[in-house]
Amino acid sequence: RKLPQKKPTKTTKTTQTLQSKMTYFQTKKYIKEALLPVCGEYASYEAEKIVCHIFGIDKRTLTLISHEEAPDKTEEIENTVARRKNGEPLAYILGNTDFFGLNFLVSPACLTPRADTEVIVERALEFLGEKYADVLDICTGSGCIALAIAANAHANVRALDISEDALDIAKKNAERLSLSHKVTFESCNALSEEFASECEKYDLIVSNPPYIPTKDIADLSEEVHREPLCALDGGEDGLIFYKRFIEILPAKLKLGGRIIFEIGYDQENALRALCEKKGLFYEFFRDYGGNVRGVVINAD
């Protein structure tokens, strides 16, 4: 979970004004310049997403018609730009986002799927290969990890979350992606004794749990503050879920099974200590930005 803590450095102010008769290219340029102070290097990407959303076109079509005059959508464009400049996550404004080649509905009820989390799915698929498997996804949120695995592997996935609102979004995503037959969603407190006492075993357990230390929450950006606190707060040291999971999850693995966690970029040493204390074999891996992003744990 790559969570910004400081706003990008401000750039020059927008010089272009939004007019009723503009090409798609000019409209995208206007939005990009308006968002530069908020989005920095991502302003062009977000401007393209906004244009495609507002005009109901895809990226390829936008390229083909970029120099044609666009319909007048002044009010909708200005409202969208204002919401984004006010710190509202783009995915919440658009109501959806892309993750691992799939499109997911999102809302303030769940954490926005982030590109760095795709490496968790990649590692899961590498392990699963072509075999049929039972998978458990804990803290599923929008269902992005569970559904991406189900879409690309011979797996039946059980996905858990404590938030009923997040589960509603996840179930809708399963329906939209025609994966309801492969993924079941359940309300569950994964820190509870009830969950710990369950006897089911899995070939793979994955989790992207809350891992931000409570004291660091206040310093996160306005954008991140719009996301659900329960999906961010990992307790005093950010490790409350990992400490519990490393105690109880190895017993839930089938022979040869694996656990894959997403972790914070600065939590490698803490996770190493937890694994070594339990005598677990582990391997850390990095995200696309070169940061340590996850750990694979082998309990055998």
Side-chain angles (χ1 to χ4, degrees):
R1 197 179 289 134
K2 189 176 181 180
L3 301 176
Q5 292 184 301
K6 294 182 180 179
K7 292 183 178 180
T9 303
K10 290 188 176 181
T11 57
T12 56
K13 293 182 179 180
T14 302
T15 57
Q16 186 181 14
T17 57
L18 186 60
Q19 303 170 7
S20 59
K21 292 186 178 181
M22 297 175 68
T23 65
Y24 289 95
F25 174 81
Q26 290 171 326
T27 303
K28 177 184 171 182
K29 183 173 184 290
Y30 167 80
I31 297 172
K32 172 188 173 182
E33 292 180 352
L35 294 182
L36 274 172
V38 179
C39 306
E41 62 183 311
Y42 297 104
S44 181
Y45 167 80
E46 294 206 3
E48 182 176 84
K49 296 286 287 186
I50 289 170
V51 169
C52 289
H53 175 76
I54 287 177
F55 294 105
I57 56 178
D58 56 27
K59 182 178 178 180
R60 179 176 181 277
T61 301
L62 176 60
T63 301
L64 294 174
I65 66 174
S66 63
H67 294 291
E68 296 181 13
E69 184 177 312
D72 184 9
K73 299 273 190 175
T74 302
E75 183 176 357
E76 189 172 353
I77 290 170
E78 294 288 21
N79 287 341
T80 300
V81 168
R83 290 171 65 186
R84 188 68 186 96
K85 291 174 73 173
N86 194 40
E88 190 171 351
L90 179 64
Y92 292 169
I93 296 172
L94 304 184
N96 65 86
T97 193
D98 295 325
F99 178 84
F100 213 81
L102 303 171
N103 186 259
F104 288 84
L105 297 176
V106 291
S107 81
C110 59
L111 195 71
T112 303
R114 289 172 166 81
D116 286 330
T117 299
E118 292 185 359
V119 297
I120 307 301
V121 178
E122 288 179 354
R123 283 301 178 114
L125 295 178
E126 287 176 10
F127 168 69
L128 292 174
E130 294 299 317
K131 66 183 179 183
Y132 289 84
D134 293 312
V135 177
L136 176 65
D137 175 28
I138 309 173
C139 305
T140 193
S142 65
C144 62
I145 293 177
L147 292 167
I149 291 173
N152 292 280
H154 302 297
N156 291 312
V157 186
R158 181 187 179 206
L160 311 178
D161 205 284
I162 198 170
S163 169
E164 293 286 357
D165 291 335
L167 288 170
D168 285 342
I169 296 294
K171 291 173 183 177
K172 290 177 181 177
N173 281 321
E175 293 171 3
R176 292 176 74 245
L177 297 169
S178 299
L179 290 169
S180 297
H181 64 294
K182 296 185 69 175
V183 184
T184 58
F185 295 97
E186 299 176 27
S187 176
C188 177
N189 179 357
L191 299 178
S192 68
E193 287 299 328
E194 182 180 3
F195 173 67
S197 64
E198 290 183 359
C199 298
E200 289 86 351
K201 292 184 180 290
Y202 304 90
D203 299 286
L204 174 65
I205 300 175
V206 295
S207 183
N208 178 15
Y211 55 67
I212 307 300
T214 303
K215 60 181 174 58
D216 294 342
I217 297 292
D219 294 329
L220 297 176
S221 70
E222 174 63 26
E223 179 177 346
V224 179
H225 280 170
R226 301 295 187 96
E227 303 194 70
L229 180 62
C230 66
L232 300 170
D233 193 344
E236 182 178 357
D237 57 3
L239 302 173
I240 185 172
F241 285 88
Y242 301 120
K243 290 175 179 177
R244 179 63 168 168
F245 289 169
I246 285 177
E247 285 291 328
I248 67 174
L249 293 185
K252 297 181 183 297
L253 289 177
K254 297 179 182 179
L255 184 64
R258 296 290 186 274
I259 300 167
I260 302 178
F261 293 138
E262 176 168 332
I263 68 172
Y265 72 93
D266 58 351
Q267 293 177 319
E268 178 181 358
N269 290 337
L271 266 295
R272 178 181 286 109
L274 290 174
C275 289
E276 291 181 353
K277 183 178 179 181
K278 287 289 292 182
L280 302 174
F281 297 99
Y282 58 87
E283 176 193 358
F284 292 96
F285 56 93
R286 298 180 182 273
D287 61 24
Y288 307 129
N291 298 309
V292 173
R293 183 57 53 191
V295 60
V296 180
I297 299 172
N298 176 4
D300 295 340

